[in-house]
Amino acid sequence: KAGVTQTPRYLIKTRGQQVTLSCSPISGHRSVSWYQQTPGQGLQFLFEYFSETQRNKGNFPGRFSGRQFSNSRSEMNVSTLELGDSALYLCASSSDASFQETQYFGPGTRLLVL
Amino acid sequence: QKEVEQNSGPLSVPEGAIASLNCTYSDRVSQSFFWYRQYSGKSPELIMSIYSNGDKEDGRFTAQLNKASQYVSLLIRDSQPSDSATYLCAAGGFKTIFGAGTRLFVKA
């Protein structure tokens, strides 16, 4: 079974631009979570989608948004990029809506904002 | 604010020794606990999950859970240089909360 895939793997943007990241979960997984990882802040929860609905959201500004499609693929968008948005963005999928289940991570998208 | 706390390290152990990684969590509702290993520049990969009090062994790894003390640990026996990584502890409940990770160095 193929793992979680994320595209693109690397991205360079400038301040003020927007960016869209994509995540395809493991086949059969319906829950997709997004995390931001920086050296100083560790792994921070952005949001989680299950069956096209945002079920949970972390403490990030409204510039960060996401959505999930009927095939469980998910996208996250960051508008008006700031230097502090430079980070590794990780997507994780699990088989159901419960956070009791194991989450499997994709390889991540490394975003650099100049 | 529900939290998962880990000693950031670095924890340095000689090759062949036992590495002991510890984690505490604040949300008593948490029912599932996970240990992930993350190599520099890579994404986290699952090592162990544990749901019940007590020990769970998988090869060289043993996870220990004590819900009364809200404490989770990971023991790595016969540590190898390839075990050098950051180890993330996570608690699952309404949402999964990750600790900041403990950096482990295994010296050859």
Side-chain angles (χ1 to χ4, degrees):
Chain A
K1 197 183 263 191
V4 179
T5 59
Q6 291 186 246
T7 57
R9 294 292 310 278
Y10 303 93
L11 208 48
I12 300 176
K13 293 286 188 179
T14 56
R15 282 180 298 173
Q17 288 187 308
Q18 74 166 16
V19 65
T20 299
L21 312 181
S22 180
C23 170
S24 292
I26 292 171
S27 178
H29 284 191
R30 294 191 295 164
S31 173
V32 174
S33 297
W34 288 90
Y35 296 87
Q36 181 195 66
Q37 188 174 39
T38 58
Q41 296 296 319
L43 205 60
Q44 302 292 312
F45 174 73
L46 280 155
F47 28 65
E48 184 252 350
Y49 286 87
F50 180 80
S51 294
E52 302 179 66
T53 300
Q54 186 183 89
R55 202 173 67 103
N56 215 336
K57 191 176 188 305
N59 297 321
F60 278 80
R63 300 185 297 108
F64 292 81
S65 62
R67 59 177 175 169
Q68 186 180 35
F69 302 96
S70 58
N71 62 357
S72 293
R73 189 178 71 86
S74 178
E75 289 182 347
M76 68 163 282
N77 184 78
V78 187
S79 62
T80 318
L81 283 166
E82 301 177 359
L83 296 179
D85 297 332
S86 295
L88 178 66
Y89 290 88
L90 292 161
C91 160
S93 76
S94 65
S95 59
D96 67 16
S98 167
F99 279 97
Q100 315 298 339
E101 296 296 320
T102 301
Q103 294 184 64
Y104 296 91
F105 284 88
T109 295
R110 190 166 296 279
L111 171 65
L112 177 62
V113 182
L114 302 175
Chain B
Q1 177 76 4
K2 299 178 175 60
E3 294 181 342
V4 173
E5 300 283 347
Q6 295 181 256
N7 187 324
S8 62
L11 173 66
S12 184
V13 300
E15 184 175 0
I18 295 176
S20 178
L21 306 166
N22 304 313
C23 168
T24 59
Y25 61 95
S26 62
D27 187 1
R28 289 192 172 273
V29 175
S30 298
Q31 293 295 318
S32 56
F33 304 88
F34 309 93
W35 282 100
Y36 288 84
R37 177 176 62 198
Q38 186 174 25
Y39 292 112
S40 181
K42 302 295 185 182
S43 63
E45 56 178 330
L46 180 74
I47 297 175
M48 298 274 291
S49 60
I50 186 166
Y51 301 89
S52 304
N53 278 329
D55 296 357
K56 179 181 179 183
E57 187 174 319
D58 184 359
R60 297 187 295 113
F61 299 95
T62 298
Q64 300 173 315
L65 173 60
N66 184 324
K67 290 185 179 180
S69 300
Q70 296 178 246
Y71 176 86
V72 192
S73 67
L74 179 70
L75 299 178
I76 306 174
R77 290 181 300 282
D78 189 24
S79 295
Q80 301 297 310
S82 59
D83 294 326
S84 297
T86 296
Y87 289 79
L88 303 173
C89 171
F94 182 63
K95 62 181 179 181
T96 301
I97 306 294
F98 283 84
T102 298
R103 293 173 61 196
L104 172 66
F105 290 107
V106 181
K107 299 174 293 185

